[in-house]
Amino acid sequence: MQEWGRPVGDANGVFADGVVPVSIVLVETDEGITGIGLGPHVEIERIFAAIEGEDPRAVTTLYDRMLRHTFKAGHAGPVFGTIGALDTALWDIKAQLAGQPLWRLLGGRDRRVNAYASGLDIGLTDDELVAEYEVYASHGLRAAKLKGGLDIDRDRHRLGLVRDVLTEAGHGRRPGLMLDVNEVWTRKQAVRHVCELERSLDLIWIEEPVRRWDAEGHAAVSRGISASVATGENLTGLEQYRPLVAAGAVDIVQMAAVWGVTHFLRVSALAHAHDLPVSPIGNSPVGLLHAATSVPNHLTSELQDLHRPVGVSIDLHVEDGAFILGDSPGLGVRVDEELIRAANRRLQAPTADSPNVRPERAGRRLLAGVDGLAAVRPVPAVSLNSHNEVTPTAR
């Protein structure tokens, strides 16, 4: 799990105690090498059957075998996350077998991966927000993505606070500002809200302004504002990007860390064919950071918590506004299963009021502060359940 030490969340809800589950999959080989993937293990026995006994070095072919094993029911949601976790673990194994860090195996030349700050910060007070981004700024970060979407005036104020922090840290240099609303608007709400913000702020992008699959809606928003439209983190499969790209509905193509390395590489190629930049998202997106070094259209990667998940160590650090990848073979990830098990026992019971549950009034709020801000009240953390625990070693 990830212990933020403060409230974290977005327009859909907030974890009051800042404890967020982190799922891990371990895959062992008969040569004693263990690969690590961050992601769920829904339907893992059925999916693992596609790769059991296979040579892990054939990782891209095995990725397609896993997709085929989910043919009838489809590979949406956490099932796609399971494929991504296994895929990442296979890439980890392949790089370890080669004795190289994954970024080097994939053809990367530079271990430095540009980053932006992303504090999942909608539940913070003004003073807490400023203090949090001062920490990011001390690590050289000069671009930031805030959570918002429920109140124009509040978003303008908070973006202004972070702008001032980053401007001072950058000795007057204009910082980069982004806003992530996690699909809570209609098309008209999106254009109205962003246009109002753009009267006084320079936004690089607006993220997930409407529902993830709404290609026509994203295109309408993109035409109506100056900022770029970023989306894609919740799309599960290369085929889901095609309508958005064809409609001119996405300006910054995103991928979630839990969807795996092969997915990232394929989406990056699709985006590159249309002259679009890519930007991975997620906490500790270590697999995609390695992969980002090898694609020509990587723009920047999301940096959330500066601390590692409990029981997880990663051979990378943050310096001068970038992730700096290490030389450990594979992903450079190590896990302490005893620490993780002990942490799991401290998690609270599940609740429906979390950032993972879409509010009933999402997309149907007339005025902020009337029925909108209720969506960000602090709630307990979601516990790890059978789909979110450290998995038994897959064999």
Side-chain angles (χ1 to χ4, degrees):
M1 68 182 183
Q2 190 82 20
E3 296 181 324
W4 287 71
R6 61 171 177 82
V8 294
D10 56 38
N12 299 294
V14 173
F15 292 126
D17 59 5
V19 178
V20 180
V22 176
S23 305
I24 302 172
V25 172
L26 307 177
V27 178
E28 285 188 347
T29 71
D30 55 10
E31 294 187 8
I33 295 178
T34 299
I36 297 172
L38 300 180
H41 60 88
V42 175
E43 303 269 5
I44 194 166
E45 291 186 4
R46 177 161 63 95
I47 297 169
F48 188 74
I51 64 174
E52 187 172 12
E54 296 286 333
D55 186 333
R57 293 172 295 183
V59 56
T60 53
T61 304
L62 295 179
Y63 178 80
D64 289 315
R65 283 176 61 87
M66 288 189 285
L67 290 179
R68 291 199 300 275
H69 273 236
T70 64
F71 167 63
K72 286 295 184 180
H75 56 244
V79 171
F80 195 65
T82 300
I83 294 172
L86 291 170
D87 173 73
T88 300
L90 293 177
W91 278 109
D92 187 18
I93 292 169
K94 181 171 183 173
Q96 288 184 61
L97 286 169
Q100 296 182 332
L102 182 57
W103 64 269
R104 183 77 74 186
L105 180 75
L106 290 171
R109 178 175 176 270
D110 188 351
R111 70 182 69 225
R112 185 179 188 276
V113 181
N114 290 334
Y116 68 90
S118 177
L120 311 185
D121 45 51
I122 202 167
L124 301 184
T125 66
D126 287 356
D127 289 342
E128 291 169 337
L129 183 72
V130 168
E132 187 70 20
Y133 281 89
E134 285 176 342
V135 175
Y136 288 124
S138 71
H139 287 78
L141 292 150
R142 298 294 180 263
K145 182 177 76 183
L146 275 66
K147 297 291 189 178
L150 298 176
D151 187 314
I152 293 174
D153 293 331
R154 181 68 179 150
D155 286 347
R156 182 191 296 111
H157 174 68
R158 298 175 77 250
L159 285 161
L161 291 175
V162 173
R163 175 196 58 198
D164 293 345
V165 168
L166 298 183
T167 299
E168 181 178 355
H171 304 290
R173 182 180 178 183
R174 178 185 293 185
L177 296 175
M178 298 85 89
L179 183 67
D180 185 0
V181 301
N182 296 99
E183 304 182 60
V184 299
W185 290 335
T186 63
R187 304 173 190 183
K188 286 290 188 179
Q189 285 174 330
V191 173
R192 173 174 172 268
H193 198 120
V194 176
C195 283
E196 184 64 29
L197 292 177
E198 289 183 328
R199 293 177 184 271
S200 57
L201 294 165
D202 180 18
L203 291 178
I204 293 177
W205 78 58
I206 182 71
E207 188 167 323
E208 289 193 321
V210 294
R211 298 312 303 274
R212 65 195 69 171
W213 52 75
D214 187 0
E216 183 180 336
H218 278 92
V221 173
S222 185
R223 289 192 299 268
I225 64 177
S226 296
S228 294
V229 169
T231 193
E233 68 179 85
N234 287 306
L235 301 182
T236 52
L238 185 64
E239 69 282 353
Q240 295 187 3
Y241 288 84
R242 291 165 57 186
L244 281 89
V245 172
V250 55
D251 304 302
I252 311 292
V253 179
Q254 297 178 309
M255 315 81 155
V258 296
W259 299 153
V261 172
T262 299
H263 172 70
F264 170 83
L265 293 172
R266 291 182 176 183
V267 174
S268 295
L270 173 67
H272 185 51
H274 292 83
D275 295 318
L276 295 172
V278 297
S279 180
I281 71 96
N283 192 51
S284 299
V286 58
L288 304 196
L289 297 179
H290 283 264
T293 66
S294 69
V295 300
N297 51 333
H298 174 259
L299 178 65
T300 184
S301 288
E302 183 175 39
L303 169 62
Q304 294 182 358
D305 197 353
L306 286 158
H307 303 93
R308 304 286 181 257
V310 175
V312 177
S313 64
I314 307 175
D315 185 14
L316 64 79
H317 65 280
V318 179
E319 178 183 290
D320 294 331
F323 295 96
I324 309 298
L325 298 170
D327 286 318
S328 297
L331 293 174
V333 177
R334 298 293 178 266
V335 300
D336 185 327
E337 294 185 55
E338 290 302 318
L339 276 179
I340 293 172
R341 290 191 185 96
N344 289 351
R345 290 193 289 270
R346 302 199 304 271
L347 288 171
Q348 301 179 24
T351 174
D353 296 324
S354 81
N356 299 323
V357 178
R358 183 170 169 83
E360 182 180 354
R361 297 289 298 171
R364 293 186 289 119
R365 301 182 180 108
L366 182 62
L367 296 173
V370 177
D371 58 4
L373 294 182
V376 298
R377 64 185 183 277
V379 299
V382 175
S383 68
L384 293 183
N385 55 34
S386 61
H387 300 316
N388 286 323
E389 296 169 347
V390 175
T391 70
T393 299
R395 303 189 192 286

